[in-house]
Each structure stands twice: as structure tokens, then as C-alpha cells.
Amino acid sequence: MNFHPIAGVAWYAIGRIYESNDGKVQDLGYFAHLGGIEPLFDGSPGEATAFFTFRSTPFTVQTLQNGDLSVSLDATGTFTLYLQHEPRGDFSRPETFSQGEPIATFERLYTAVSTSVGPLASNLFSAALRSSVDFTHRGRTWNLARLIPEGISQLGTASTTELPPPPGYKRVLPFVGSALALGGNVRGR
């Protein structure tokens, strides 16, 4: 008997959340796993050697308080994945995560809810794949539409300890995210 899971691990993301001086928020980072694509790094793993990065469009956040629990409602929006033919990611320069070849765009389907208490925050969101193109990496042709055609649901964990922000930003927080590939028709709208 063959076992076919409804969902499998699509990616592990490592990134940072940036709040700009005008209050807009975006997240960006790189992948430690991406649908079985190899290699993911040009050398020792880290942002400076990552072939695959992501960056969201800026969005707004509403914050609610429930006792000592802080709840953030992130607006729906898009984020794009990039192939960095020459990796140069640098968290002190957010633009370096979106300078590669765009390979896919996802859209968060619903408002994402993040909760924080103490030193940690968590969030959960689903995103549908809205566009994807063939790309060549290390002599093989890939397309995320074949690896994760319906999109993902991601559970993230962030630290509430702020990191020094680069110019133009007032707050930066590190996070990690684990995403499962969605099954069935979840394309939404």
C-alpha cells in the first residue's frame, strides 16, 4: 500500500520582520529547505550564501491587547521568492533579498494572526501560489508550481527581542517559519 500525505513540508524560512519609520511592516529572509531543491547555499549556510530568498510587500499591522497577550493582525498581501544566482543576502541591507530572479509570488489569503507573550511570538497564515516560472538551478529546471501548486500554511516563531535596525527602519525582529504544502483547492478569491 502506498501512502500519499495530504500535506508535506514545503519550506523552512529564516528571516526578519522590519518595521519602517512610516509604520509599514515587511518580512524577508532565506530558505533552509525549499521543496527538495538542492543545493540551497553556496558555502556555509546563512543569509550571505543563500540561493533562495523572499521578501514581502509592505503591509500594515493592527495590535490588540488581551491581558499580557499581544495580538497582531497582519493585512493580506504578497511575497515573492527569488533565485540569487550570486548570493549576497545581508540583513543590514534588506534590498539584497529581492535583487535576484523572481521565481514565484504568493498571496496571504486571510489576515494573519500573531500572538506574543514574554520573549516569543508565534503566527500562522496560509498563502496561495499566484504565479510561478521555470528557473534553472545547478543544471536542473524547477518550477514551484510543480512542488507546491496550491500554496502553503506556515507556522512561525519570532523573538520579541529587537535587533539593531538599518537606516530607514525603527524595529527589526528575527523569526523562523515552517510551512506545509496545502492540498485540495485553496486558491481563494
Side-chain angles (χ1 to χ4, degrees), residues 5 10 14 113 125 128 161:
I14 299 170
V113 175
F125 70 89
T161 303

Side-chain angles (χ1 to χ4, degrees), residues 77-91:
T78 62
F79 57 96
T80 301
L81 278 58
Y82 299 88
L83 168 57
Q84 306 289 341
H85 294 284
E86 296 181 24
R88 292 191 185 115
D90 181 348
F91 282 125

Side-chain angles (χ1 to χ4, degrees), residues 70-74 110-115 122-125 155-156:
S70 179
V71 180
S72 297
L73 303 176
D74 302 353
Y110 314 102
T111 300
V113 175
S114 303
T115 56
S122 64
N123 78 343
L124 178 64
F125 70 89
L155 176 62

Side-chain angles (χ1 to χ4, degrees), residues 21 92 94 165-170:
N21 290 334
S92 68
Y169 297 90
K170 62 182 176 183

